[in-house]
Amino acid sequence: MRVFVAGGTGFVGGYVLEELVLREHDAVVLVRSGSERKLPKGFKGEIVSGDALNFSMPSDCDAVIHLIGILREFRRRGISFEKSQFQAAKAVADRALGAGVNRFILQSANRVRPDGTKYQYTKYLAEEYVKSKKFDWTIFRPSTLFGDPTHPSGPVGKPEFCTTLRDKMIKLPLPAPLFHPGLNLMKAGKFKLQPIHVKDLAKGIVASLDHQKSTGKIYPVGGKDQLTWHEIISLIADASGKKKWKVPAPGWAVKLMASLFAWIPAFPITVDQITMLMEGNTCDGSEFLSHFKIDPVPFNGENLSYLS
């Protein structure tokens, strides 16, 4: 199958391209000029130059895998959730329809909804747009993703949950914050996440190309274990070779600081990010695991060895 990939130079994209090769599909990748180095080493597929809002869709593709998304906005640099997550998906979908492509696979996110944060809302809008068109669509909603951000893509610097926490929290000479709502210290760090390895997500996305029963379905995607924030911080610290004190941190105080300083790129978190983090991020991913016969990679020290 000839597959057009939007977002192939990102963290998930490298693993998806590798999986496409393993399953003997032909990849056609949308790449911004100058970002070719972000493709997997030895990539032999076709490159289409441009960005999601300005490119020409090849006429001979059988399917589209859309992976484009951002973790935070930088409006002063023209980077917004509206543009990167909704408008980009809309433009790629429109060009796919114009080229006669009827199979569309969208990577969304867990807990998207119309009344959520800007991140969640624009992901929701992208889902609704794709679902409204005459596609055989499949949507994947992953929980927290983890995995070596240097494999198979090569260059360092792609955002990844665990390495970001290591660099912006674990390595700092300050205690790690255990966020909690209100004044109840007993709830500090008790919200739960359900990490899934990026390789497992990539396997499911690519397997769905040949899985007819996956059309018209939305798959929540999560690992087998639901872990508290306290447990996750401890595992990341241990894998990084660090001993880390932890202290309760009221969510309202962190949000206040974020509202004042999140415009600074080096500030580690935004109001939306702390809001979504404290909501928790778990799901019933059993259908995803069973449909695509995936035995999920555990979130443990061995599989976090890339942090050392």
Side-chain angles (χ1 to χ4, degrees), residues 69 81 135 275:
F81 290 127
F135 286 122
T275 298

Side-chain angles (χ1 to χ4, degrees), residues 177-196:
L178 298 178
F179 305 114
H180 62 87
L183 301 175
N184 190 346
L185 299 185
M186 298 302 293
K187 292 185 177 181
K190 293 294 182 65
F191 54 88
K192 293 183 177 182
L193 309 179
Q194 195 170 342
I196 181 80

Side-chain angles (χ1 to χ4, degrees), residues 10-11 15 146-164 166 198 306-307:
F11 172 49
Y15 285 87
F146 75 100
D148 187 349
T150 68
H151 174 82
S153 304
V156 178
K158 296 187 177 183
E160 186 266 349
F161 176 69
C162 297
T163 51
T164 298
R166 179 197 65 190
V198 60
Y306 58 91
L307 297 174

Side-chain angles (χ1 to χ4, degrees), residues 231-252:
E231 291 170 326
I232 285 173
I233 292 299
S234 296
L235 284 166
I236 292 175
D238 289 345
S240 303
K242 301 287 185 180
K243 296 295 182 182
K244 197 68 179 176
W245 291 97
K246 308 175 189 70
V247 297
W252 65 266

Side-chain angles (χ1 to χ4, degrees), residues 31-54:
V31 180
R32 289 176 180 270
S33 178
S35 295
E36 293 82 3
R37 64 179 183 83
K38 296 180 181 179
L39 290 168
K41 294 177 181 178
F43 175 72
K44 299 185 184 305
E46 180 181 335
I47 294 175
V48 173
S49 295
D51 61 54
L53 300 178
N54 185 23

